Amino acid sequence: MSTLFQPLTLRETTIPNRVWMTPMCQYSAESEGPLTGAPNDWHLAHYGARATGGTGLIVTEATAVSPEGRISPYDLGLWNDTQVEAFRRITRFLVAQGTVPGVQLAHAGRKASTERTWKGGAPIGPEAHGWQPLGPSPVAFDARHPVPTELTVERIGEIVAQFAAAARRAHTAGFEVVEVHGAHGYLINQFLSPHSNHRTDAYGGSYENRTRFALEVVDAVREVWPDDKPVFFRISATDWLTDGGWTVDDTVRFAHDLHAHGIDLLDVSTGGNAAGVTIPTGPGYQVPFAARVKAETRLPVSAVGLITEAGQAQKIVANGEADAVMLGRELLRNPSWARQTARELGGEVRVPDPYHRSV
C-alpha cells in the first residue's frame, strides 16, 4: 500500500491515512446573538465534503477560546455549551465517514478584531462588532493594526484557563484530536518571538521566559484532555527575519520541550508574526522545516505549504520528511483529493456507500 495511505496511531487514536486537512478559517459564523461562534450549515457542508472525500484527519479552523480571542467576529469558538452542541453534529458526521475530527484551539492576540479576508481583513472597531486586541507587549503587528493592551500576569493565567476549558468542551463535542495554535503571529506565537515579546517579567526576555506561556497552555490542555488521545501543537518554525525573531533552531529546541510536556505531533508551518517580510514560497517550501524537526527530535511532524500533487505528497511521507501532509487550498479546490490520490497511488480510502459508482 502507498505510504501516504497507511494508518498512523498516536496514543490510542488511529488516523486512517496521512492526508490531513489543515485549519483554514471560513469566517462564516454568526457575529452576534446566541449562536455567536457556533458552526452552522456552511461548516457542516464544508467539513463533511472533505470527509466523504477520504481525508484522514480534519482539523477545524482556528476556534477561539474566548470572544476576544477570535481573529474576526465571524470565527468559531468553544467558550460556551451552545457551541459544543453545534459542533456535535459535525464530529458525528466526520466519524461516520471514517475521518478523525480535530479542533485547533486559538487566541489571536494582537491580530484579533479584523474584517473577513475577502473584505480586506483590515482591523475593525466596535461599530463593526470589533474590540480592543490583547498582546504580550504594547507593540502593534503593523501600521494599520492598533496597539494591543499588554496582558497582565493575572490575565495571562485566565487565558491559560480558557484554553483548558475549551479543551474540555472539545472533548464533550466529540473531537478526537486537539491542536494548540502557536503559529502565524497569533497570541502564543507572539509570546514565543522576541520580535513581538518585549516583556521584562517572567514571560519575556530569555528563551525560557518567552516559552513559558506556551508550555503553561500545553500543560493545562494536556491535563484535561484524555490520556489516550493526542494533542498537537502548530508552530511557525521561523519568523523569516534575519535578526531578532524566532528561528528554526528555536523550533528544534522547543520541539524537545513540547515532547517532554506531552505533545504528540508538531504541525510545522512558518511566518505570520512579522509584517512585510519576504517569504520564498514554492511547492513544498515549508517541508524542510518539518523534516529538520523530525530528523533532530523524537516528535512526529506534519508538513504543510503548497503540497498539491500526489507524487509530491507520497514522497514527503515515504522519505521520512514528515509523518503526514496537511493540505489547505488544494482541498478547497478538490474535496475528494484523498480519494482520487488513493486511486492514483494504489492506496485505499473509505468510500461512502452512496458514492459506490465513483470507485
Side-chain angles (χ1 to χ4, degrees), residues 234-312:
R234 178 160 243 199
I235 196 163
S236 283
T238 175
D239 285 339
W240 293 103
L241 293 169
T242 57
D243 186 45
W246 182 264
T247 70
V248 65
D249 290 337
D250 294 324
T251 295
V252 172
R253 179 180 179 182
F254 192 45
H256 289 286
D257 296 338
L258 290 170
H259 187 263
H261 284 256
I263 289 296
D264 301 289
L265 180 138
L266 192 64
D267 181 6
V268 183
S269 187
T270 66
N273 193 46
V277 297
T278 299
I279 300 177
T281 60
Y285 72 102
Q286 297 177 138
V287 174
F289 297 98
R292 181 173 169 191
V293 173
K294 184 167 176 60
E296 298 185 24
T297 75
R298 293 184 298 157
L299 196 58
V301 301
S302 60
V304 67
L306 294 182
I307 299 170
T308 60
E309 303 294 334
Q312 174 196 22

Side-chain angles (χ1 to χ4, degrees), residues 108-111 141 182-190 236 271-274:
R110 68 177 183 169
K111 293 177 74 174
F141 173 66
H184 300 158
Y186 299 120
L187 186 62
I188 292 176
N189 192 182
Q190 292 162 27
S236 283
N273 193 46

